[in-house]
Amino acid sequence: MERLSRGQRLTDLAVAALLALVGVLEIWVPFESLMGDGSRVVSTIGVLWYAAHLSQRRSRPWVALAGLLVWPLLGLVVGADDMHLLFFGQLIPTLVLAYTIARHATGRYRWIGTLGVVAFVTFADLFVPLLREPSELIYHWGNLTLVYLVGHGLRVSADRAAREAVRAHDAESRVREAELAAIADERARIARELHDIVAHSMGMIVVQAGAAEQVVEDDPAFARRALSTIRTTGSSALSEMRRLVGVLRDPAPGADFAPQPGLSALPDLVETARAGGLDVRLQVEGDREELPAGVDLAAYRIVQEALTNVRRHSAASCADVHLAVGPSAVRIEVTDGGPARPVAGPPGHGLVGMRERAALYGGRLEAAPQGTGFTVRAELPLERV
């Protein structure tokens, strides 16, 4: 049994009521479609019986199918020759039932219902003389076949649409899972890098504190400079530690413990890209020497990933890298001339990683087509210590 909404049940009741009304009017007006001689009262009972059963055609389909029995039973009571033949009271409801079976029936009811309708129409052809005319046979069998095929076609289309919707949902779920996995991997990588920065800062503090302790009486000026360095380094390390506790650290086996790169390594990065066939034009504005270590690393990684995306996804032969270090933020822009080219295999997660790095420092990243090419813009706010 199909579970119906209230609106669907009301629709079925309205259709059944309309069929009953038109069928009764066909008998008592009467319409020109009324054929044969018979009792109007008996025919009215048959029409109302059939319509009442059809009101359950989707919620209780076996009840609707049982409504077909009314006409053979009445034929046995009053005789087939004395029954009215109704277009609106008999044929139209039968076509509605056939459409419903083809469109909505499931399981064994679909085949039993189809056979029931066919048997009913065949019974009428065999025992009602007016229906044996060739024109009548062609008319009602043609209509029955057409209505059934329409219902079946709509059913196939709906099933195909449902399968496509499920497939699209599964694909979207897989993409989302891959994106979440990429975010987790990128956060773990960022955590490892921040851990190295903090560890380096702590090591520097220990060294400076030891040196200051040794010369605090003999060289107070050196001790003061050491303490100033400790304060600056400790403040920077504390800021990085706040970010680190918000990122899941999951060190991978064989992690790289080499010193983390910064913007000072951009020339080497540009030379590597040029060696790979991409002509990179680098423009740097502002003083990058006093940047916090975490921001320095994040800016480098964003430029690195943006250039990697140019090599992977663009047919451009050159790219422009513009880096501006201001008093309140570091601004990065990487532009290529395109055009884009298709890449085999699953999509990468470079943009996800860049956005994660920018968000970690309260910044933002925009990546969008520009002309025939593509542009990545990032802004990393500075917290001067």
Side-chain angles (χ1 to χ4, degrees), residues 58-373:
R58 287 189 290 179
S59 58
R60 296 180 178 84
W62 292 102
V63 173
L65 185 63
L68 285 173
L69 296 175
V70 63
W71 301 113
L73 291 176
L74 289 176
L76 292 175
V77 173
V78 302
D81 294 337
D82 297 326
M83 287 184 61
H84 285 120
L85 293 181
L86 307 172
F87 176 78
F88 294 103
Q90 292 172 336
L91 180 59
I92 294 299
T94 302
L95 295 179
V96 170
L97 179 61
Y99 168 83
T100 304
I101 292 172
R103 176 66 178 86
H104 300 288
T106 59
R108 60 180 182 176
Y109 173 73
R110 183 181 182 187
W111 307 110
I112 295 176
T114 300
L115 291 176
V117 173
V118 171
F120 170 73
V121 177
T122 302
F123 174 85
D125 289 341
L126 292 176
F127 293 98
V128 179
L130 291 175
L131 295 180
R132 296 172 190 169
E133 296 292 331
S135 59
E136 287 293 331
L137 292 172
I138 293 173
Y139 182 76
H140 61 248
W141 279 106
N143 278 281
L144 183 65
T145 302
L146 179 62
V147 167
Y148 191 90
L149 290 177
V150 169
H152 179 72
L154 291 176
R155 178 197 191 95
V156 170
S157 298
D159 291 345
R160 184 183 297 115
R163 288 194 299 270
E164 291 299 326
V166 171
R167 188 178 295 111
H169 177 74
D170 290 343
E172 183 179 352
S173 298
R174 288 193 296 270
V175 170
R176 180 57 180 164
E177 290 174 1
E179 182 179 345
L180 292 176
I183 290 175
D185 291 342
E186 189 63 28
R187 287 181 176 177
R189 179 185 176 190
I190 294 172
R192 291 193 295 270
E193 293 175 347
L194 290 179
H195 172 270
D196 294 340
I197 291 174
V198 173
H200 175 73
S201 299
M202 292 299 102
M204 181 181 294
I205 289 174
V206 171
V207 171
Q208 292 289 336
E213 182 183 18
Q214 296 295 325
V215 300
V216 65
E217 294 180 356
D218 299 333
D219 191 352
F222 178 84
R224 282 194 296 271
R225 289 195 299 272
L227 290 174
S228 177
T229 301
I230 290 173
R231 181 187 65 80
T232 303
T233 305
S235 179
S236 177
L238 182 60
S239 296
E240 299 301 336
M241 183 63 73
R242 291 193 187 101
R243 296 184 177 94
L244 178 59
V245 297
V247 180
L248 176 64
R249 176 169 166 80
D250 184 17
D256 185 8
F257 293 102
Q260 299 297 342
L263 293 179
S264 60
L266 278 183
D268 294 334
L269 179 64
V270 169
E271 288 303 321
T272 301
R274 288 172 178 168
L278 180 65
D279 182 19
V280 179
R281 296 186 289 265
L282 176 63
Q283 182 182 0
V284 179
E285 299 176 2
D287 182 11
R288 60 190 180 191
E289 299 299 328
E290 299 298 328
L291 287 178
V295 175
D296 192 34
L297 172 62
Y300 175 87
R301 292 299 190 198
I302 290 174
V303 174
Q304 182 185 43
E305 189 59 50
L307 291 178
T308 300
N309 283 349
V310 173
R311 292 196 296 269
R312 288 192 59 196
H313 302 288
S314 175
S317 59
C318 63
D320 294 306
V321 178
H322 181 217
L323 175 71
V325 181
S328 60
V330 177
R331 293 176 177 83
I332 303 165
E333 181 173 305
V334 181
T335 304
D336 68 85
R341 64 181 176 186
V343 178
H349 301 285
L351 292 178
V352 173
M354 288 189 284
R355 286 195 175 96
E356 284 295 309
R357 289 187 181 273
L360 182 66
Y361 291 92
R364 59 187 178 87
L365 184 134
E366 299 176 355
Q370 181 171 308
T372 59

